[in-house]
Amino acid sequence: MINSSRRSGVSFALAAAVAGTALAVLRATAPGGRERWERDTHAGRRAGLYAGPATAVAAAVGAGRVRPAAGLAVLAAGAAGAYDDVTAVHDPRRGFRAHLTALRDGEVTSGAVKLFGIGAAGLAAGAAMKQRPLDRVLAGVVVAGAAHFVNLVDVRPGRAAAAVLALGAPGLLRPGPGAETAAAAMGAAAAVLPDDLAGRTMLGDTGAHALGAALGAAVVAGNGRAGLAAHAVALVAAAACGDRVTAWARHSCE
């Protein structure tokens, strides 16, 4: 138990250190120019997207240290989110329905790329982390669904990072790879939370999807079929009620 707690602590500290360092470097250098990184917040201020890549890399390093497949899934989810952050700046369409409707009409939106990219990453991670076919599918749903859920609540400063800390904490109670992976997601989120809350930086789709995928990987690593099924049902329900989840996140604590 002590060794497991120590390993989780190492995962948390490593991810926090990587995220904090990457955030500082990106903010200082702003590769490609600051205009590429800055976005308007809901309050009308300018904030940088530096926290997104910083948390994605940190969570991937932390999760990959425990399970390489989990680290790759986190990286893939972050990359899909980054594509959307870069290409969908002026696209007002949001949600599965809008992007699937566009796809039906022959238009491949960045949201559709993100949807299928994260879905594929989740299934690949599930295939690597579980043995039986049904468990692999459930694991894929959990990883992709968790990535989508954290993105749903990323509508106000600090909401997504705080959600990762709250949702990851119960996973620490069960020693093992799941706890270590949850700790990695929490460490990355904790490192950027102060700047996120202050509106100086934001996670964007890059960070939200990566952190969510890390949480999903933690669930996969720490649960059998029954736990996977319960989480999959909850995450599919959250996706189906995405507008309500987002509205709740937007107005909570206001």
PDB file of all heavy atoms in Angstrom, residues 195-225:
ATOM      1  N   ASP A 195      -3.364  29.361 -13.122  1.00  0.00           N
ATOM      2  CA  ASP A 195      -3.396  30.253 -14.274  1.00  0.00           C
ATOM      3  C   ASP A 195      -4.712  30.126 -15.035  1.00  0.00           C
ATOM      4  O   ASP A 195      -5.207  31.098 -15.610  1.00  0.00           O
ATOM      5  CB  ASP A 195      -2.232  29.944 -15.220  1.00  0.00           C
ATOM      6  CG  ASP A 195      -0.926  30.566 -14.758  1.00  0.00           C
ATOM      7  OD1 ASP A 195      -0.971  31.440 -13.871  1.00  0.00           O
ATOM      8  OD2 ASP A 195       0.137  30.174 -15.267  1.00  0.00           O
ATOM      9  N   ASP A 196      -5.261  28.926 -15.055  1.00  0.00           N
ATOM     10  CA  ASP A 196      -6.545  28.710 -15.710  1.00  0.00           C
ATOM     11  C   ASP A 196      -7.646  29.477 -14.980  1.00  0.00           C
ATOM     12  O   ASP A 196      -8.463  30.184 -15.597  1.00  0.00           O
ATOM     13  CB  ASP A 196      -6.846  27.205 -15.731  1.00  0.00           C
ATOM     14  CG  ASP A 196      -8.024  26.844 -16.626  1.00  0.00           C
ATOM     15  OD1 ASP A 196      -8.625  27.745 -17.229  1.00  0.00           O
ATOM     16  OD2 ASP A 196      -8.341  25.647 -16.728  1.00  0.00           O
ATOM     17  N   LEU A 197      -7.679  29.348 -13.664  1.00  0.00           N
ATOM     18  CA  LEU A 197      -8.696  30.057 -12.875  1.00  0.00           C
ATOM     19  C   LEU A 197      -8.579  31.573 -13.020  1.00  0.00           C
ATOM     20  O   LEU A 197      -9.584  32.287 -13.044  1.00  0.00           O
ATOM     21  CB  LEU A 197      -8.570  29.676 -11.397  1.00  0.00           C
ATOM     22  CG  LEU A 197      -9.179  28.341 -10.973  1.00  0.00           C
ATOM     23  CD1 LEU A 197      -8.770  28.013  -9.546  1.00  0.00           C
ATOM     24  CD2 LEU A 197     -10.698  28.387 -11.099  1.00  0.00           C
ATOM     25  N   ALA A 198      -7.357  32.047 -13.132  1.00  0.00           N
ATOM     26  CA  ALA A 198      -7.124  33.489 -13.248  1.00  0.00           C
ATOM     27  C   ALA A 198      -7.392  34.009 -14.660  1.00  0.00           C
ATOM     28  O   ALA A 198      -7.349  35.219 -14.882  1.00  0.00           O
ATOM     29  CB  ALA A 198      -5.694  33.816 -12.842  1.00  0.00           C
ATOM     30  N   GLY A 199      -7.660  33.117 -15.607  1.00  0.00           N
ATOM     31  CA  GLY A 199      -7.935  33.536 -16.967  1.00  0.00           C
ATOM     32  C   GLY A 199      -6.712  33.925 -17.757  1.00  0.00           C
ATOM     33  O   GLY A 199      -6.818  34.556 -18.811  1.00  0.00           O
ATOM     34  N   ARG A 200      -5.526  33.519 -17.274  1.00  0.00           N
ATOM     35  CA  ARG A 200      -4.303  33.840 -18.008  1.00  0.00           C
ATOM     36  C   ARG A 200      -4.008  32.827 -19.108  1.00  0.00           C
ATOM     37  O   ARG A 200      -3.295  33.106 -20.062  1.00  0.00           O
ATOM     38  CB  ARG A 200      -3.113  33.910 -17.041  1.00  0.00           C
ATOM     39  CG  ARG A 200      -3.171  35.093 -16.082  1.00  0.00           C
ATOM     40  CD  ARG A 200      -1.880  35.215 -15.289  1.00  0.00           C
ATOM     41  NE  ARG A 200      -1.714  34.113 -14.359  1.00  0.00           N
ATOM     42  CZ  ARG A 200      -2.122  34.139 -13.083  1.00  0.00           C
ATOM     43  NH1 ARG A 200      -2.759  35.213 -12.616  1.00  0.00           N
ATOM     44  NH2 ARG A 200      -1.908  33.102 -12.279  1.00  0.00           N
ATOM     45  N   THR A 201      -4.530  31.616 -18.942  1.00  0.00           N
ATOM     46  CA  THR A 201      -4.330  30.581 -19.946  1.00  0.00           C
ATOM     47  C   THR A 201      -5.568  29.714 -19.991  1.00  0.00           C
ATOM     48  O   THR A 201      -6.438  29.812 -19.119  1.00  0.00           O
ATOM     49  CB  THR A 201      -3.086  29.731 -19.616  1.00  0.00           C
ATOM     50  OG1 THR A 201      -2.799  28.859 -20.705  1.00  0.00           O
ATOM     51  CG2 THR A 201      -3.303  28.901 -18.371  1.00  0.00           C
ATOM     52  N   MET A 202      -5.676  28.880 -21.003  1.00  0.00           N
ATOM     53  CA  MET A 202      -6.809  27.969 -21.110  1.00  0.00           C
ATOM     54  C   MET A 202      -6.346  26.636 -21.683  1.00  0.00           C
ATOM     55  O   MET A 202      -5.330  26.555 -22.369  1.00  0.00           O
ATOM     56  CB  MET A 202      -7.914  28.575 -21.966  1.00  0.00           C
ATOM     57  CG  MET A 202      -7.502  28.902 -23.393  1.00  0.00           C
ATOM     58  SD  MET A 202      -8.886  29.525 -24.412  1.00  0.00           S
ATOM     59  CE  MET A 202      -9.220  31.104 -23.616  1.00  0.00           C
ATOM     60  N   LEU A 203      -7.128  25.606 -21.384  1.00  0.00           N
ATOM     61  CA  LEU A 203      -6.778  24.271 -21.842  1.00  0.00           C
ATOM     62  C   LEU A 203      -7.066  24.074 -23.327  1.00  0.00           C
ATOM     63  O   LEU A 203      -6.321  23.397 -24.026  1.00  0.00           O
ATOM     64  CB  LEU A 203      -7.546  23.219 -21.040  1.00  0.00           C
ATOM     65  CG  LEU A 203      -7.152  23.038 -19.581  1.00  0.00           C
ATOM     66  CD1 LEU A 203      -8.153  22.108 -18.891  1.00  0.00           C
ATOM     67  CD2 LEU A 203      -5.751  22.456 -19.473  1.00  0.00           C
ATOM     68  N   GLY A 204      -8.165  24.659 -23.804  1.00  0.00           N
ATOM     69  CA  GLY A 204      -8.586  24.398 -25.164  1.00  0.00           C
ATOM     70  C   GLY A 204      -8.940  22.929 -25.336  1.00  0.00           C
ATOM     71  O   GLY A 204      -8.915  22.140 -24.381  1.00  0.00           O
ATOM     72  N   ASP A 205      -9.278  22.544 -26.553  1.00  0.00           N
ATOM     73  CA  ASP A 205      -9.588  21.143 -26.818  1.00  0.00           C
ATOM     74  C   ASP A 205      -8.358  20.259 -26.616  1.00  0.00           C
ATOM     75  O   ASP A 205      -8.479  19.093 -26.235  1.00  0.00           O
ATOM     76  CB  ASP A 205     -10.087  20.986 -28.252  1.00  0.00           C
ATOM     77  CG  ASP A 205     -11.521  21.453 -28.414  1.00  0.00           C
ATOM     78  OD1 ASP A 205     -12.072  22.004 -27.448  1.00  0.00           O
ATOM     79  OD2 ASP A 205     -12.089  21.274 -29.503  1.00  0.00           O
ATOM     80  N   THR A 206      -7.177  20.810 -26.861  1.00  0.00           N
ATOM     81  CA  THR A 206      -5.943  20.034 -26.703  1.00  0.00           C
ATOM     82  C   THR A 206      -5.821  19.476 -25.294  1.00  0.00           C
ATOM     83  O   THR A 206      -5.674  18.271 -25.083  1.00  0.00           O
ATOM     84  CB  THR A 206      -4.713  20.899 -27.012  1.00  0.00           C
ATOM     85  OG1 THR A 206      -4.868  21.511 -28.287  1.00  0.00           O
ATOM     86  CG2 THR A 206      -3.440  20.068 -26.990  1.00  0.00           C
ATOM     87  N   GLY A 207      -5.875  20.368 -24.312  1.00  0.00           N
ATOM     88  CA  GLY A 207      -5.705  19.941 -22.933  1.00  0.00           C
ATOM     89  C   GLY A 207      -6.891  19.190 -22.380  1.00  0.00           C
ATOM     90  O   GLY A 207      -6.733  18.196 -21.660  1.00  0.00           O
ATOM     91  N   ALA A 208      -8.109  19.650 -22.714  1.00  0.00           N
ATOM     92  CA  ALA A 208      -9.299  18.996 -22.173  1.00  0.00           C
ATOM     93  C   ALA A 208      -9.402  17.557 -22.640  1.00  0.00           C
ATOM     94  O   ALA A 208      -9.658  16.634 -21.854  1.00  0.00           O
ATOM     95  CB  ALA A 208     -10.543  19.781 -22.584  1.00  0.00           C
ATOM     96  N   HIS A 209      -9.189  17.324 -23.919  1.00  0.00           N
ATOM     97  CA  HIS A 209      -9.280  15.958 -24.435  1.00  0.00           C
ATOM     98  C   HIS A 209      -8.156  15.082 -23.895  1.00  0.00           C
ATOM     99  O   HIS A 209      -8.375  13.897 -23.592  1.00  0.00           O
ATOM    100  CB  HIS A 209      -9.251  15.969 -25.960  1.00  0.00           C
ATOM    101  CG  HIS A 209     -10.554  16.352 -26.576  1.00  0.00           C
ATOM    102  ND1 HIS A 209     -11.726  15.692 -26.311  1.00  0.00           N
ATOM    103  CD2 HIS A 209     -10.885  17.337 -27.455  1.00  0.00           C
ATOM    104  CE1 HIS A 209     -12.714  16.236 -26.993  1.00  0.00           C
ATOM    105  NE2 HIS A 209     -12.229  17.244 -27.680  1.00  0.00           N
ATOM    106  N   ALA A 210      -6.965  15.625 -23.795  1.00  0.00           N
ATOM    107  CA  ALA A 210      -5.848  14.827 -23.284  1.00  0.00           C
ATOM    108  C   ALA A 210      -6.073  14.442 -21.822  1.00  0.00           C
ATOM    109  O   ALA A 210      -5.874  13.277 -21.440  1.00  0.00           O
ATOM    110  CB  ALA A 210      -4.542  15.598 -23.438  1.00  0.00           C
ATOM    111  N   LEU A 211      -6.468  15.394 -20.998  1.00  0.00           N
ATOM    112  CA  LEU A 211      -6.710  15.089 -19.592  1.00  0.00           C
ATOM    113  C   LEU A 211      -7.856  14.100 -19.437  1.00  0.00           C
ATOM    114  O   LEU A 211      -7.801  13.190 -18.600  1.00  0.00           O
ATOM    115  CB  LEU A 211      -7.017  16.375 -18.828  1.00  0.00           C
ATOM    116  CG  LEU A 211      -5.842  17.336 -18.619  1.00  0.00           C
ATOM    117  CD1 LEU A 211      -6.330  18.634 -17.973  1.00  0.00           C
ATOM    118  CD2 LEU A 211      -4.762  16.702 -17.767  1.00  0.00           C
ATOM    119  N   GLY A 212      -8.906  14.276 -20.240  1.00  0.00           N
ATOM    120  CA  GLY A 212     -10.021  13.338 -20.171  1.00  0.00           C
ATOM    121  C   GLY A 212      -9.614  11.937 -20.583  1.00  0.00           C
ATOM    122  O   GLY A 212     -10.016  10.948 -19.961  1.00  0.00           O
ATOM    123  N   ALA A 213      -8.805  11.843 -21.634  1.00  0.00           N
ATOM    124  CA  ALA A 213      -8.335  10.523 -22.066  1.00  0.00           C
ATOM    125  C   ALA A 213      -7.487   9.868 -20.981  1.00  0.00           C
ATOM    126  O   ALA A 213      -7.554   8.641 -20.775  1.00  0.00           O
ATOM    127  CB  ALA A 213      -7.530  10.651 -23.356  1.00  0.00           C
ATOM    128  N   ALA A 214      -6.694  10.660 -20.269  1.00  0.00           N
ATOM    129  CA  ALA A 214      -5.900  10.112 -19.167  1.00  0.00           C
ATOM    130  C   ALA A 214      -6.795   9.582 -18.052  1.00  0.00           C
ATOM    131  O   ALA A 214      -6.536   8.510 -17.485  1.00  0.00           O
ATOM    132  CB  ALA A 214      -4.938  11.176 -18.628  1.00  0.00           C
ATOM    133  N   LEU A 215      -7.855  10.317 -17.742  1.00  0.00           N
ATOM    134  CA  LEU A 215      -8.809   9.825 -16.744  1.00  0.00           C
ATOM    135  C   LEU A 215      -9.457   8.532 -17.210  1.00  0.00           C
ATOM    136  O   LEU A 215      -9.626   7.585 -16.432  1.00  0.00           O
ATOM    137  CB  LEU A 215      -9.895  10.870 -16.490  1.00  0.00           C
ATOM    138  CG  LEU A 215      -9.576  12.037 -15.578  1.00  0.00           C
ATOM    139  CD1 LEU A 215     -10.819  12.902 -15.407  1.00  0.00           C
ATOM    140  CD2 LEU A 215      -9.076  11.568 -14.222  1.00  0.00           C
ATOM    141  N   GLY A 216      -9.843   8.503 -18.489  1.00  0.00           N
ATOM    142  CA  GLY A 216     -10.434   7.280 -19.023  1.00  0.00           C
ATOM    143  C   GLY A 216      -9.486   6.108 -18.952  1.00  0.00           C
ATOM    144  O   GLY A 216      -9.877   4.986 -18.606  1.00  0.00           O
ATOM    145  N   ALA A 217      -8.221   6.339 -19.274  1.00  0.00           N
ATOM    146  CA  ALA A 217      -7.226   5.281 -19.196  1.00  0.00           C
ATOM    147  C   ALA A 217      -7.057   4.797 -17.760  1.00  0.00           C
ATOM    148  O   ALA A 217      -6.822   3.598 -17.517  1.00  0.00           O
ATOM    149  CB  ALA A 217      -5.893   5.770 -19.741  1.00  0.00           C
ATOM    150  N   ALA A 218      -7.188   5.707 -16.805  1.00  0.00           N
ATOM    151  CA  ALA A 218      -7.100   5.315 -15.394  1.00  0.00           C
ATOM    152  C   ALA A 218      -8.258   4.392 -15.019  1.00  0.00           C
ATOM    153  O   ALA A 218      -8.074   3.402 -14.303  1.00  0.00           O
ATOM    154  CB  ALA A 218      -7.101   6.559 -14.507  1.00  0.00           C
ATOM    155  N   VAL A 219      -9.446   4.717 -15.512  1.00  0.00           N
ATOM    156  CA  VAL A 219     -10.612   3.850 -15.260  1.00  0.00           C
ATOM    157  C   VAL A 219     -10.388   2.475 -15.871  1.00  0.00           C
ATOM    158  O   VAL A 219     -10.662   1.445 -15.245  1.00  0.00           O
ATOM    159  CB  VAL A 219     -11.887   4.493 -15.838  1.00  0.00           C
ATOM    160  CG1 VAL A 219     -13.060   3.520 -15.777  1.00  0.00           C
ATOM    161  CG2 VAL A 219     -12.232   5.773 -15.083  1.00  0.00           C
ATOM    162  N   VAL A 220      -9.883   2.449 -17.099  1.00  0.00           N
ATOM    163  CA  VAL A 220      -9.633   1.178 -17.780  1.00  0.00           C
ATOM    164  C   VAL A 220      -8.606   0.343 -17.012  1.00  0.00           C
ATOM    165  O   VAL A 220      -8.777  -0.873 -16.835  1.00  0.00           O
ATOM    166  CB  VAL A 220      -9.148   1.430 -19.223  1.00  0.00           C
ATOM    167  CG1 VAL A 220      -8.692   0.122 -19.875  1.00  0.00           C
ATOM    168  CG2 VAL A 220     -10.252   2.077 -20.046  1.00  0.00           C
ATOM    169  N   ALA A 221      -7.553   0.983 -16.551  1.00  0.00           N
ATOM    170  CA  ALA A 221      -6.495   0.265 -15.847  1.00  0.00           C
ATOM    171  C   ALA A 221      -6.950  -0.264 -14.494  1.00  0.00           C
ATOM    172  O   ALA A 221      -6.418  -1.266 -14.005  1.00  0.00           O
ATOM    173  CB  ALA A 221      -5.278   1.171 -15.663  1.00  0.00           C
ATOM    174  N   GLY A 222      -7.928   0.398 -13.889  1.00  0.00           N
ATOM    175  CA  GLY A 222      -8.315   0.036 -12.532  1.00  0.00           C
ATOM    176  C   GLY A 222      -9.621  -0.710 -12.386  1.00  0.00           C
ATOM    177  O   GLY A 222     -10.059  -0.967 -11.269  1.00  0.00           O
ATOM    178  N   ASN A 223     -10.265  -1.081 -13.510  1.00  0.00           N
ATOM    179  CA  ASN A 223     -11.581  -1.708 -13.415  1.00  0.00           C
ATOM    180  C   ASN A 223     -11.692  -2.943 -14.298  1.00  0.00           C
ATOM    181  O   ASN A 223     -11.051  -3.032 -15.355  1.00  0.00           O
ATOM    182  CB  ASN A 223     -12.674  -0.723 -13.822  1.00  0.00           C
ATOM    183  CG  ASN A 223     -12.961   0.317 -12.769  1.00  0.00           C
ATOM    184  OD1 ASN A 223     -13.815   0.121 -11.906  1.00  0.00           O
ATOM    185  ND2 ASN A 223     -12.238   1.426 -12.826  1.00  0.00           N
ATOM    186  N   GLY A 224     -12.561  -3.851 -13.853  1.00  0.00           N
ATOM    187  CA  GLY A 224     -12.935  -4.998 -14.660  1.00  0.00           C
ATOM    188  C   GLY A 224     -14.143  -4.669 -15.508  1.00  0.00           C
ATOM    189  O   GLY A 224     -14.530  -3.504 -15.658  1.00  0.00           O
ATOM    190  N   ARG A 225     -14.795  -5.714 -16.021  1.00  0.00           N
ATOM    191  CA  ARG A 225     -15.893  -5.499 -16.963  1.00  0.00           C
ATOM    192  C   ARG A 225     -17.056  -4.722 -16.357  1.00  0.00           C
ATOM    193  O   ARG A 225     -17.605  -3.825 -16.987  1.00  0.00           O
ATOM    194  CB  ARG A 225     -16.403  -6.835 -17.511  1.00  0.00           C
ATOM    195  CG  ARG A 225     -17.541  -6.677 -18.512  1.00  0.00           C
ATOM    196  CD  ARG A 225     -17.865  -7.977 -19.186  1.00  0.00           C
ATOM    197  NE  ARG A 225     -16.732  -8.467 -19.957  1.00  0.00           N
ATOM    198  CZ  ARG A 225     -16.723  -9.654 -20.573  1.00  0.00           C
ATOM    199  NH1 ARG A 225     -17.772 -10.456 -20.484  1.00  0.00           N
ATOM    200  NH2 ARG A 225     -15.660 -10.026 -21.270  1.00  0.00           N
TER     201      ARG A 225
END
